Amino acid sequence: MSTCSAVSWDLDEPLAGTAPAARTWLLLEQPGPWGAKALTSSHLDPALGRALDAAAKGTGVRIALIRRPGRHADRGTPDARRVYAAHTVPGNVWLHGTTLDDPRRLLDLDFAALGRGDHHAFDSVLDGGPHQGDPLALVCTNGKRDRCCALLGRPLAAEVAASGAEGVWEVTHLGGHRFSPTVLVLPHGYVYGRVQAHTVKEILHRAQEGRIVVEGCRGNSAWERPGQAAELALRSAVAEDAAQALTVVRTDGAAPRWEVTLAHRDGRHWRVTVVQGASAPARPESCGASVLGSPARMEVTAVRELPVPAAALAS
């Protein structure tokens, strides 16, 4: 039977505008197996998982579990776990980390402040600080959510880690199973689909320099889907690869049509028209789906640079 990722590839389904939306990511190391809803179906205390999920709701913080690539036999609760927090909005991008013996300390965080991009909310409570290593590559590998993530994601994570890249982790869920293998790169928050090992290494090299790779990019998680598609289209139009060069200033309209205003850090502004269409023919949106679907796709129909007075009004 064909997998959802194979069907998506054959149909050449566009990647732009499909990234998960999260201004801030909170990542907790949790070795061992993961269930479909990993916060409550792993070897993490399910009561803690439910409490964390509730605390993050509506704050702009997305919580995910991570583990190092390799075998995932249950070896008991780790004495110490790595924890990362990353804010992905251009102009205030940061990645901080710490080590915890007791993950229940995460409940002491001010999630609203984290969602706003205040790293002091992380550092002061958990004794955290700026991440000093390479950018992180988080490969979705949770086969309990979709088998494509395990079949394609786990070998990718293992291969990239074996090549010497130090920031490689497996992660529980990035959405878009049909784009597997899919990877989130922090600190900048860009998500990629249908990636290969050499692609990940190039993406990480660019990220180290504060740049991104546009090809294969699903979008920046800092923005909602129309903003993701608009930003990537503008990057292609003006050949801009600096990670923090563009910001979504505002998004007007509602499905199926939006007008997205973007600003460059040099003062230029653009308005990008994004239209939502339905993918055809119907296809499985995941390997576990019992019916075929027509997932929404973001189509950019116009990119217009604004004159300076209009740009001033837009901002």
Side-chain angles (χ1 to χ4, degrees), residues 26-76:
L26 180 63
L27 308 170
L28 169 65
E29 183 179 4
Q30 178 57 57
W34 297 330
K37 296 183 178 179
L39 273 181
T40 55
S41 55
S42 68
H43 290 174
L44 183 70
D45 178 1
L48 173 59
R50 286 190 292 272
L52 288 171
D53 189 46
K57 196 172 298 294
T59 64
V61 177
R62 182 166 175 144
I63 304 174
L65 303 183
I66 58 174
R67 65 191 177 197
R68 285 297 190 185
R71 299 187 64 181
H72 302 133
D74 180 13
R75 297 179 180 174

Side-chain angles (χ1 to χ4, degrees), residues 78-149:
D79 293 331
R81 307 163 186 253
R82 286 299 296 167
V83 178
Y84 296 100
H87 191 64
T88 62
V89 177
N92 186 31
V93 168
W94 50 263
L95 172 61
H96 285 216
T98 191
T99 301
L100 293 183
D101 294 330
D102 183 358
R104 289 174 295 183
R105 291 180 61 194
L106 294 174
L107 292 175
D108 296 330
L109 289 170
D110 182 339
F111 283 85
L114 267 184
R116 293 192 300 268
D118 180 4
H119 61 75
H120 299 292
F122 181 83
D123 296 346
S124 61
V125 172
L126 303 180
D127 301 319
H131 174 64
Q132 301 296 332
D134 294 336
L136 303 185
L138 301 138
V139 184
C140 189
T141 63
N142 191 351
K144 293 296 184 180
R145 290 197 71 100
D146 191 281
R147 62 177 176 153
C148 285
C149 298

Side-chain angles (χ1 to χ4, degrees), residues 204-280:
L204 288 174
H205 174 70
R206 296 277 190 93
Q208 188 77 49
E209 299 176 338
R211 299 184 295 150
I212 75 159
V213 175
V214 174
E215 184 178 358
C217 190
R218 297 174 58 194
N220 186 340
S221 70
W223 318 128
E224 298 295 332
R225 292 186 62 185
Q228 295 172 14
E231 185 207 342
L232 291 175
L234 179 57
R235 284 186 177 279
S236 295
V238 301
E240 178 59 78
D241 68 351
Q244 297 195 64
L246 297 173
T247 300
V248 173
V249 177
R250 58 187 288 175
T251 300
D252 299 304
R257 179 188 172 93
W258 299 267
E259 296 289 338
V260 182
T261 304
L262 295 106
H264 194 285
R265 61 188 176 192
D266 66 9
R268 290 177 292 165
H269 283 68
W270 292 263
R271 188 158 292 145
V272 179
T273 303
V274 182
V275 177
Q276 178 178 298
S279 299

